[in-house]
Amino acid sequence: MKKLFFLLLAIALPVMASAQIRFGYFSYDAVLKSMADYQLAQRSVADLRLKYDEEMKRAEKEFNVKYEEFLDDQRNLVPSILRKRQSELQEMMEKNVAFKKDAQQLLQQAETDAYAPVKRKLDEAVAKVGREHGYAFVLNTDGDACPYVNPDMGEDATEAIKAAVK
C-alpha cells in the first residue's frame, strides 16, 4: 500500500507542479529589430562604419599612388633614396594595417555601446511583462534554444513585450 501511495505521489507531484507554473516565450531578435531605438542605433553604427570605410579607402588610394610613383621612379633613384622611399612605403602600409585593426575594434565597441541601452530597455520590458502576466520565466525562442514550446502550457508574450517597449 505504501509503495502504491508513493508511486501515485511521484506521478502526481510533477503534474501538479507543472499546472501551477506559467511561462511566456518570444523571439528576442524579432522584438529587438522591431524597436525604433534599434533602428536608430543601427543607422548610427552604419554611418560610423561608412566613415571608417571611406577613410580606409582614402588611405589605400594614397598608398597605391605612392607605390606606383615608387615603381616608376625606382630605376632612377640612388640607393639611399630608394631605401628611404621603401621605408616610407613600409611605414605607410603598417599605419594602414594598424588603422584597419583599430577601426574594427572601435566599430565593435561603438556597436556594443549603441545597442546596450536598447537591449536594456527590452530586458526591462520582458521583466515587466513577466511580472504583469505572472510568468515564472520568459523563454527566448531564438537560435534553436527552445525548439518546442507547448502553447497549452506557455503563452506567446511577443506582442505584449512589443507593446511594452514602445
Side-chain angles (χ1 to χ4, degrees), residues 32-70:
L32 183 68
K33 290 176 181 175
S34 74
M35 296 172 64
D37 293 348
Y38 177 83
Q39 304 300 327
L40 292 173
Q42 197 173 32
R43 255 184 256 124
S44 172
V45 170
D47 290 346
L48 186 59
R49 180 173 279 116
L50 183 63
K51 289 176 184 176
Y52 278 117
D53 287 346
E54 287 172 356
E55 180 58 24
M56 283 187 261
K57 286 178 185 174
R58 187 204 62 76
E60 187 177 317
K61 185 177 179 181
E62 182 180 334
F63 174 81
N64 288 338
V65 166
K66 287 221 181 234
Y67 184 68
E68 287 175 17
E69 286 175 8
F70 171 76

Side-chain angles (χ1 to χ4, degrees), residues 55-120:
E55 180 58 24
M56 283 187 261
K57 286 178 185 174
R58 187 204 62 76
E60 187 177 317
K61 185 177 179 181
E62 182 180 334
F63 174 81
N64 288 338
V65 166
K66 287 221 181 234
Y67 184 68
E68 287 175 17
E69 286 175 8
F70 171 76
L71 291 177
D72 290 342
D73 295 342
Q74 73 179 347
R75 289 181 198 94
N76 302 329
L77 299 174
V78 294
S80 62
I81 296 175
L82 181 69
R83 284 191 300 274
K84 177 187 173 284
R85 295 238 182 122
Q86 284 174 331
S87 105
E88 286 174 354
L89 287 171
Q90 182 66 32
E91 184 180 324
M92 191 179 229
M93 186 185 320
E94 288 170 359
K95 284 181 180 180
N96 288 348
V97 169
F99 176 75
K100 194 172 199 174
K101 184 179 176 184
D102 289 346
Q104 288 171 344
Q105 290 174 342
L106 291 169
L107 274 170
Q108 182 133 15
Q109 186 61 47
E111 190 171 332
T112 300
D113 293 346
Y115 292 130
V118 180
K119 289 182 178 183
R120 192 174 321 110

Side-chain angles (χ1 to χ4, degrees), residues 3-18:
K3 288 182 181 178
L4 181 61
F5 174 74
F6 285 123
L7 179 63
L8 289 174
L9 185 63
I11 293 172
L13 277 178
V15 171
M16 290 187 317
S18 68

Side-chain angles (χ1 to χ4, degrees), residues 1 19-21 24 49 58 64 73 91 103 108 112 122-123 131 139 158 165:
M1 189 68 161
Q20 295 172 351
I21 295 177
R49 180 173 279 116
R58 187 204 62 76
N64 288 338
D73 295 342
E91 184 180 324
Q108 182 133 15
T112 300
L122 177 53
D123 291 344
R131 281 190 304 275
L139 296 172
T158 303
V165 293

